[in-house]
Amino acid sequence: MVRSSSKPQFPRTRRPSPPPQADVQSAQPLIWSRACALLQPTSAAPRRACSCPRPAPPRPRRHDPPPPPHRGGSSNGKMEATELLVVLLLFALLALLIVVLAAQGRRRWNQKCGDPLDEQKTNGVSFHKSQAHRKQKQRYHKEKPHQHIFVHALLAAELKGHSGNVSSMDFSNNGKYLATCADDRTIHIWSTKDFLHREHRSLRVNVKLDHATLVRFSPDCRALIAWLANGDTISVFKMKKKDDGNSSFQPMEEDFPKRHKAPVINVGIAETGKFIMSVSSDTTIIIWTLKGEVLSIINTNQMNNTYALISPCSRFVGSCGFTPDAKVWEVCFNKNGQFREVTRAFELKGHTAGIHFLAFSNDSCRMATVSKDGTWKLWATDVEYKQQQDPYVLLTGPYGEAASTPCILALSPDAQVLALASGNNIRLYNTKRGEAEESFDKVHEDRVAEMAFDTTGRFLASCGDRVVKIFHNTTGQRAIVEKMRGLLKQGPTETTRQRLSQQLAQAQATLKRLGAGKV
């Protein structure tokens, strides 16, 4: 039996089916559950998706328009996806912030503790921070030491060759050389003819495993005697010719024996070459042979010695110390040149306090002393001391610095100029009038260790740091002018007058060239 339908039969055409609303709606709870699973701890149970049935959309009819899409479910899905993206973005920003804070904290910790794991680049090469810091520290140590700057119109030369502080110096008897020693284990020998040149060459003598604190020339300039700081002994350096024709100074195989029990403050060698003198800070002076044998030991009985030296005539040894009197001994030899004895010659009495320093003139007829009583004195020592004649004072001058600080002095060869130094300041006095004519302030970085006039009296040398300063002796040139004028007034012969006039003109020309003017 055929059933009839009230609806007409038409051929069916395939239409695109609408989007399954149930699937979209069912996917929304699934996305939300996954987001909640990300936000909740792992221990929490995942949230179930809602399984409530939703009404199926009516099937579209032939003549009915297609139903509008369900906008409610799609809008909610987009909103939930946007919220998920925002949450993820916030998580990413939070993680980035944590990473940045951790990096900054690590950098601060490395800067504070010096983490060797961090690296930095130096000249295009990567180094660990500890290595770079070590390299910078090495560079700092390799930098040149601070150089003391001193400028003066009368500064003739600066001898720069030592890398350590210069402690002693000595001019040779012929006036051609200057020997200096420093704590850099070297002794330099300079040529005096280069003082007014731009370059100053020197012969370097190395002191192995030690350094010299005192140095002196032998009379023939072919040897040096030096006091070694660590060895506490006298070492002799003799000049030897090399195969290439040059000269060098080599130490002798054996040094002098150790006899001093206190620090040695000076050494000297007689110009006759007969003996060597050394003095320590207690009360001991030792007279040696050139081979290191002890000839005599002198007890000064001055509580302590501050200085002692040999006179240029090689007859006397003068010493000063805690007592206000300077003592002079005579070293006696017989006609055959053999040592005989050491006897007391005379004393310089006139100061009221201990004496810091003393010096002889070139002819040993004058002596100068500076004392803790704040004065300096010039003495006449060309007396018949064997006839009980005592030396007498020629001039006394004030020097207040000597009352509070140790002082040293140097007397020019003609005894016309006296140089006094306390700290790093130097004063030049005219010994005829007792007036200070030149002043050099802050000459060295440290105190002046030693001063010396050259054999001609033209220059004054001083040491106290790495550089030896050479000064023009304008005070001595003025003294020559005064002396020549005085002799010309006495009416000498024509030959003598010409010679005196020539010396006067030379001294005046020197003063004019140095800007000191005429006297």
Side-chain angles (χ1 to χ4, degrees):
M1 182 175 177
V2 179
R3 294 182 179 180
S4 60
S5 175
S6 59
K7 297 181 181 180
Q9 299 293 328
F10 294 97
R12 294 184 177 183
T13 59
R14 300 181 65 88
R15 292 176 176 269
S17 60
Q21 300 294 333
D23 295 340
V24 174
Q25 294 177 358
S26 62
Q28 293 175 2
L30 181 60
I31 295 173
W32 179 253
S33 64
R34 291 179 180 179
C36 292
L38 292 174
L39 296 176
Q40 291 179 355
T42 56
S43 61
R47 185 178 179 181
R48 290 186 177 183
C50 182
S51 60
C52 298
R54 295 180 179 273
R59 296 184 61 181
R61 297 182 180 180
R62 178 181 176 185
H63 298 286
D64 294 339
H70 186 74
R71 299 181 182 274
S74 176
S75 176
N76 293 335
K78 290 182 179 180
M79 290 178 62
E80 291 177 357
T82 303
E83 292 176 355
L84 178 61
L85 292 176
V86 170
V87 171
L88 294 177
L89 183 61
L90 291 176
F91 269 103
L93 292 176
L94 180 61
L96 181 62
L97 180 61
I98 293 174
V99 171
V100 171
L101 292 177
Q104 291 182 354
R106 181 183 178 84
R107 188 178 299 108
R108 292 175 182 175
W109 175 261
N110 293 338
Q111 293 176 356
K112 182 177 180 180
C113 300
D115 191 356
L117 297 179
D118 292 341
E119 295 182 351
Q120 65 180 11
K121 287 187 176 182
T122 304
N123 295 330
V125 182
S126 297
F127 293 91
H128 290 297
K129 275 193 172 181
S130 59
Q131 297 177 355
H133 178 70
R134 202 178 303 121
K135 186 173 183 180
Q136 291 177 359
K137 193 173 182 180
Q138 292 176 357
R139 285 182 179 177
Y140 174 79
H141 284 296
K142 290 182 180 180
E143 292 180 357
K144 293 183 178 180
H146 172 71
Q147 186 68 43
H148 179 71
I149 299 176
F150 173 78
V151 179
H152 198 278
L154 298 181
L155 182 63
E158 291 182 320
L159 307 183
K160 301 177 181 180
H162 287 284
S163 59
N165 291 331
V166 181
S167 58
S168 180
M169 59 187 177
D170 185 49
F171 282 99
S172 61
N173 291 341
N174 57 14
K176 295 182 178 180
Y177 307 106
L178 172 67
T180 59
C181 66
D183 56 9
D184 58 359
R185 297 183 177 180
T186 63
I187 298 173
H188 284 254
I189 300 175
W190 311 82
S191 176
T192 57
K193 67 179 182 180
D194 294 337
F195 282 175
L196 299 181
H197 296 170
R198 186 172 183 178
E199 295 183 358
H200 308 101
R201 296 172 296 177
S202 65
L203 174 63
R204 176 173 174 171
V205 181
N206 294 322
V207 182
K208 296 182 180 179
L209 305 177
D210 210 331
H211 69 274
T213 57
L214 297 165
V215 62
R216 298 291 180 259
F217 266 113
S218 65
D220 58 359
C221 304
R222 300 183 64 86
L224 295 169
I225 63 169
W227 180 263
L228 303 183
N230 299 330
D232 287 333
T233 184
I234 295 176
S235 180
V236 179
F237 294 80
K238 282 195 172 183
M239 186 175 66
K240 296 182 179 180
K241 289 288 185 180
K242 294 183 179 179
D243 296 336
D244 55 1
N246 296 326
S247 301
S248 65
F249 284 84
Q250 299 296 331
M252 299 291 291
E253 295 181 357
E254 295 183 1
D255 297 331
F256 283 27
K258 298 180 181 180
R259 297 299 298 267
H260 286 283
K261 298 181 181 179
V264 170
I265 55 180
N266 194 28
V267 295
I269 181 170
E271 291 190 5
T272 57
K274 293 182 178 181
F275 67 95
I276 292 174
M277 183 273 310
S278 62
V279 55
S280 56
S281 59
D282 49 10
T283 61
T284 305
I285 298 176
I286 298 180
I287 307 298
W288 309 78
T289 65
L290 299 184
K291 295 182 179 180
E293 299 173 356
V294 177
L295 295 176
S296 178
I297 299 177
I298 304 172
N299 185 4
T300 61
N301 295 317
Q302 293 177 319
M303 299 291 291
N304 65 278
N305 299 325
T306 56
Y307 197 68
L309 77 164
I310 303 174
S311 65
C313 66
S314 302
R315 290 179 57 190
F316 306 110
V317 172
S319 70
C320 58
F322 182 79
T323 61
D325 302 329
K327 299 180 180 181
V328 179
W329 285 266
E330 182 181 5
V331 183
C332 302
F333 291 83
N334 58 23
K335 295 181 180 180
N336 297 328
Q338 295 179 352
F339 173 76
R340 197 173 59 190
E341 61 179 349
V342 177
T343 60
R344 178 77 66 86
F346 52 85
E347 295 183 4
L348 306 179
K349 298 181 179 181
H351 287 291
T352 59
I355 299 175
H356 291 298
F357 217 84
L358 78 166
F360 286 93
S361 64
N362 196 35
D363 57 4
S364 302
C365 293
R366 298 289 183 269
M367 289 185 66
T369 56
V370 59
S371 171
K372 296 179 181 179
D373 59 9
T375 63
W376 60 266
K377 293 181 182 294
L378 182 68
W379 306 79
T381 56
D382 53 342
V383 296
E384 295 293 336
Y385 60 91
K386 292 184 179 180
Q387 304 297 329
Q388 305 301 319
Q389 186 178 358
D390 295 328
Y392 54 94
V393 178
L394 295 174
L395 187 65
T396 300
Y399 192 66
E401 292 88 340
S404 57
T405 58
C407 302
I408 63 174
L409 61 82
L411 189 62
S412 64
D414 57 1
Q416 299 290 326
V417 183
L418 176 66
L420 290 168
S422 63
N424 56 359
N425 302 322
I426 301 176
R427 303 285 185 271
L428 296 185
Y429 289 83
N430 186 307
T431 57
K432 292 295 183 181
R433 299 185 303 272
E435 300 175 356
E437 294 190 358
E438 299 292 348
S439 177
F440 310 124
D441 296 328
K442 297 181 180 179
V443 178
H444 299 281
E445 188 174 1
D446 202 353
R447 68 176 185 85
V448 178
E450 194 165 309
M451 295 186 301
F453 286 94
D454 72 322
T455 55
T456 63
R458 295 174 55 198
F459 301 106
L460 171 69
S462 69
C463 61
D465 48 22
R466 294 176 175 84
V467 181
V468 178
K469 303 292 195 307
I470 308 296
F471 297 94
H472 291 286
N473 183 16
T474 55
T475 304
Q477 296 296 326
R478 294 191 188 96
I480 292 175
V481 171
E482 293 179 3
K483 183 178 180 180
M484 296 302 105
R485 286 179 175 176
L487 294 175
L488 287 172
K489 291 180 179 179
Q490 296 178 3
T493 62
E494 185 63 25
T495 304
T496 305
R497 179 179 293 274
Q498 291 179 0
R499 180 174 55 83
L500 295 177
S501 300
Q502 185 179 1
Q503 294 179 359
L504 177 61
Q506 290 178 354
Q508 290 176 339
T510 302
L511 290 173
K512 185 176 181 180
R513 178 173 52 84
L514 297 176
K518 295 183 180 180
V519 178

